[in-house]
Amino acid sequence: MHQVIERDANREMIDMQSEPLLNVTDLTVNYDGVVALDHVSLTAPAGQLYGLIGPNGSGKSTFLAAISRHGKVTEGRLEFAGRDYTGEPAFVAARLGISRSFQTVRLQEDLSVLENAMVGADHHRITRPVIFNWLRLVRNRREEAECRETALSALERVGLVDYKDQFPSSLSYGMQRRVEIARCLASDPKLLLLDEPTAGMSPAETDDISELLMGLRDSGLTQILVAHDLSMIHAVTDHVFALNFGKLIAEGNSVDVANDPDVRKAYIGVADEE
Amino acid sequence: MLNFFSSNEILLQTIAVFSLLAFSVQISLRAGAFSLAGVGCWAIGGYSLAISDRHDMHPVIGVLIGIVVSAIISYLLALLLVRLRGLYLGMATIAFNQMVGIALIHGGDFTGGELGIYGIGARISTFQLFAVLALVSFLLWALERGMLGRAYNIVRDDEPLAASLGIDSESMRRFAFVLSGAVGGLAGALNAMMLGIVSPTDADFPVIVIALTMVIVGGYHSWLGALIGAALIQWLPIGLQSFGIEGMSEWWSVVYGLLILFIAVYMPRGLLGGLQRLGSLMARRHQDFREA
């Protein structure tokens, strides 16, 4: 209960101050001397759908891993809704409201579609120590029912409610991706990070996902979308960040960024410098 | 029925006690920790009971001491081994068991040295054993269903995913570690009451093998699998004899080996997993039949 109140209070604070949801300052990531991200600073106000683009190896996934705290941060500062979470582990970032998908589909094969989505909805209960959840036999039943409702409405948003009793292995790739998005949505995130959600999808499936993401944006969810498909980025995003060699080389609306000389150079493959 | 119980009382008691030992290993495997430290705790629990019995304490106190000491040692072990996974964790926990065994041998009068402690006065009835088994089964059932069940699934299979969902894998695994130790200690204490004797071999390799076998044969995904495995492995030698095959007991280890091979190859989730798959296949066929 306490946590819920705290969460709502946090949310109100964001609304009132309308400060940036995500604030990244001088983010640098080194892997054994290789600089994967080099002093990247950016600010992302709430409510928009952001695109993150860049050629292979430009640092997009490293950036996503760093801000979800799955990957390391060598230097710099991460702030979410005004709170510094640079040193926190990934599960704390998730509890703050940063939800993410991965490049590969990661569903539990032995859980049904509904149960997979319920895992996301468990989000607020899982903050309690195991022993409290374990011995709360009567209240668990009620909470389980609520969690089921949350998961069902998330599945409804992604259009998979009819498949709730199926297992992930019997769904198409595109549908599995949507189950993952439902799992994220069930956790009621404030920021959704999507790592190439449409990679390997048919154009029709990609269109479905685009529509879904724009719908979520319209309902107020802030998202950062990593994608290779520039036409999709162009179609759905409000604001684009372009990375190359671990540096932020351009940002702005998708047309401006696409026309940026540095971005063109990075994509067309003109040799850098000498 | 009553006749069956009285003539198989020792078998039933053994099944109950070894089910608890199997639970101990199953709890940590289910949480994705390949830990066999439950066997060390089994010895610790047994000795705790034996020593408190020698000091004329009530058996319940002895059992509680066994549980608490095992849980505390498991907690410390969990802190120490937090970064280890898979085979490395398995090896480290086997080393822990060996250390417990060696400490018991060199414990002087306190642990009775190589001979251990015999003539334990405390006794336990079959009914009491099964009451304890039922209680622990219920607690494990509660741990495996609903949200905790789902969360432990993910902690076991995919830690980065768990983290992205706000699950603190480390603390969940630590909890499983401590619970595994406590249940191992409980099992050991009850075993000491059942047999009236404890010895340093309680932490030895054969016990590790039998504990792991019960869990793998029955299926480590659920407490029920551990229970089935324990019952089968304890009953099998007697069962083979009762089929009237003379000299079968000599072949027992061959049958045992074949059984484990068969299950490892064809039922990676143990007997329980195999039965569940069979059940869902039959249900699907039934549905197809009705739809047709």
Side-chain angles (χ1 to χ4, degrees):
Chain A
M1 194 61 198
H2 175 68
Q3 301 236 328
V4 174
I5 291 167
E6 197 177 85
R7 214 170 54 237
D8 289 348
N10 275 344
R11 185 158 295 172
E12 270 166 27
M13 232 166 62
I14 299 167
D15 292 344
M16 281 187 321
Q17 301 175 349
S18 77
E19 59 178 38
L21 187 61
L22 179 71
N23 202 350
V24 179
T25 318
D26 279 333
L27 177 62
T28 300
V29 178
N30 271 332
Y31 283 114
D32 300 326
V34 178
V35 183
L37 280 181
D38 189 2
H39 294 91
V40 173
S41 296
L42 58 83
T43 301
Q48 302 209 46
L49 206 174
Y50 298 92
L52 183 60
I53 62 167
N56 276 332
S58 57
K60 303 185 298 286
S61 291
T62 309
F63 180 79
L64 227 52
I67 61 173
S68 63
R69 299 302 305 109
H70 278 83
K72 69 171 185 175
V73 171
T74 313
E75 239 182 84
R77 183 182 160 86
L78 302 169
E79 271 173 64
F80 186 73
R83 179 183 157 171
D84 183 349
Y85 72 104
T86 320
E88 303 283 9
F91 77 86
V92 173
R95 289 177 184 182
L96 288 175
I98 302 177
S99 183
R100 69 165 293 173
S101 74
F102 295 88
Q103 265 185 18
T104 51
V105 170
R106 287 169 114 149
L107 294 170
Q108 284 298 110
E109 288 301 330
D110 39 357
L111 299 184
S112 70
V113 166
L114 177 63
E115 286 170 318
N116 267 290
M118 283 170 80
V119 168
D122 289 335
H123 190 260
H124 307 312
R125 289 195 279 162
I126 203 74
T127 51
R128 288 196 292 260
V130 180
I131 195 152
F132 294 127
N133 282 317
W134 183 27
L135 299 176
R136 142 198 303 255
L137 293 168
V138 181
R139 276 164 78 184
N140 257 342
R141 183 188 288 262
R142 200 192 65 219
E143 289 183 343
E144 195 75 3
E146 287 169 6
C147 164
R148 210 183 146 83
E149 287 307 310
T150 312
L152 278 173
S153 70
L155 284 174
E156 203 162 346
R157 277 170 98 175
V158 303
L160 284 179
V161 91
D162 294 340
Y163 298 86
K164 65 182 165 63
D165 295 323
Q166 304 234 6
F167 284 83
S169 55
S170 66
L171 300 185
S172 74
Y173 174 74
M175 288 163 130
Q176 293 185 7
R177 278 287 183 201
R178 297 218 305 258
V179 177
E180 289 194 313
I181 294 176
R183 182 175 62 197
C184 291
L185 294 179
S187 73
D188 188 23
K190 292 178 199 149
L191 173 64
L192 180 57
L193 310 173
L194 298 158
D195 198 354
E196 307 209 18
T198 58
M201 278 190 188
S202 70
E205 283 175 325
T206 304
D207 288 347
D208 284 350
I209 297 281
S210 300
E211 219 160 282
L212 172 63
L213 301 188
M214 288 191 290
L216 293 174
R217 188 256 327 270
D218 294 341
S219 67
L221 179 61
T222 316
Q223 299 158 75
I224 298 182
L225 166 70
V226 172
H228 267 302
D229 182 356
L230 289 184
S231 64
M232 179 190 181
I233 289 280
H234 189 65
V236 306
T237 59
D238 304 306
H239 190 98
V240 177
F241 300 106
L243 288 173
N244 197 24
F245 294 112
K247 286 189 166 131
L248 185 67
I249 55 173
E251 67 169 297
N253 71 46
S254 60
V255 179
D256 291 346
V257 170
N259 288 327
D260 185 280
D262 285 339
V263 174
R264 294 186 78 91
K265 200 158 83 180
Y267 267 91
I268 297 165
V270 180
D272 57 308
E273 279 108 62
E274 283 82 44
Chain B
M1 195 67 181
L2 262 176
N3 198 20
F4 170 83
F5 277 114
S6 55
S7 60
N8 289 291
E9 192 150 11
I10 294 175
L11 173 65
L12 290 172
Q13 290 194 350
T14 314
I15 288 176
V17 167
F18 275 82
S19 294
L20 291 169
L21 175 64
F23 283 166
S24 165
V25 173
Q26 185 265 338
I27 292 165
S28 45
L29 286 184
R30 165 110 173 85
F34 182 38
S35 162
L36 300 163
V39 174
C41 293
W42 155 271
I44 292 169
Y47 271 82
S48 301
L49 182 107
I51 292 164
S52 44
D53 181 71
R54 214 163 47 183
H55 289 86
D56 295 323
M57 283 186 232
H58 192 273
V60 172
I61 308 279
V63 172
L64 288 178
I65 291 175
I67 294 173
V68 171
V69 172
S70 300
I72 292 171
I73 290 178
S74 298
Y75 181 74
L76 298 175
L77 205 59
L79 294 183
L80 192 70
L81 303 180
V82 63
R83 304 235 169 270
L84 296 187
R85 293 281 180 279
L87 285 178
Y88 297 95
L89 181 60
M91 278 312 294
T93 54
I94 288 175
F96 162 73
N97 295 341
Q98 308 280 29
M99 277 156 55
V100 171
I102 289 169
L104 293 175
I105 290 176
H106 295 287
D109 284 344
F110 188 60
T111 63
E114 298 229 21
L115 292 175
I117 299 169
Y118 38 91
I120 297 167
R123 284 280 171 274
I124 187 161
S125 71
T126 310
F127 174 76
Q128 287 165 329
L129 274 175
F130 274 86
V132 174
L133 180 65
L135 175 69
V136 177
S137 301
F138 170 75
L139 290 175
L140 294 189
W141 167 80
L143 192 67
E144 284 180 8
R145 83 213 166 95
M147 179 197 59
L148 283 174
R150 291 189 289 272
Y152 269 119
N153 262 11
I154 296 175
V155 168
R156 181 190 66 215
D157 293 341
D158 192 342
E159 255 182 90
L161 175 65
S164 80
L165 294 162
I167 298 171
D168 182 355
S169 305
E170 228 166 68
S171 101
M172 287 195 71
R173 199 171 281 138
R174 196 162 51 231
F175 182 82
F177 224 91
V178 172
L179 185 66
S180 158
V183 173
L186 169 67
L190 300 186
N191 184 52
M193 279 204 263
M194 183 179 77
L195 298 180
I197 175 170
V198 290
S199 84
T201 53
D202 287 348
D204 222 348
F205 216 71
V207 185
I208 299 177
V209 173
I210 212 138
L212 194 57
T213 310
M214 291 186 296
V215 177
I216 299 299
V217 165
Y220 72 86
H221 284 251
S222 160
W223 63 275
L224 189 57
L227 190 74
I228 291 172
L232 183 73
I233 294 291
Q234 297 305 324
W235 168 80
L236 209 55
I238 297 163
L240 286 174
Q241 257 175 358
S242 68
F243 286 137
I245 311 165
E246 270 313 302
M248 199 59 203
S249 53
E250 290 166 32
W251 291 91
W252 151 234
S253 37
V254 176
V255 174
Y256 187 82
L258 286 175
L259 176 78
I260 292 169
L261 260 180
F262 178 82
I263 287 177
V265 174
Y266 295 103
M267 297 180 179
R269 288 172 154 231
L271 279 173
L272 180 66
L275 287 175
Q276 283 168 339
R277 209 169 61 186
L278 197 71
S280 68
L281 272 178
M282 300 238 299
R284 199 169 299 170
R285 187 168 287 184
H286 183 66
Q287 199 179 4
D288 289 349
F289 179 74
R290 277 186 18 185
E291 279 169 8

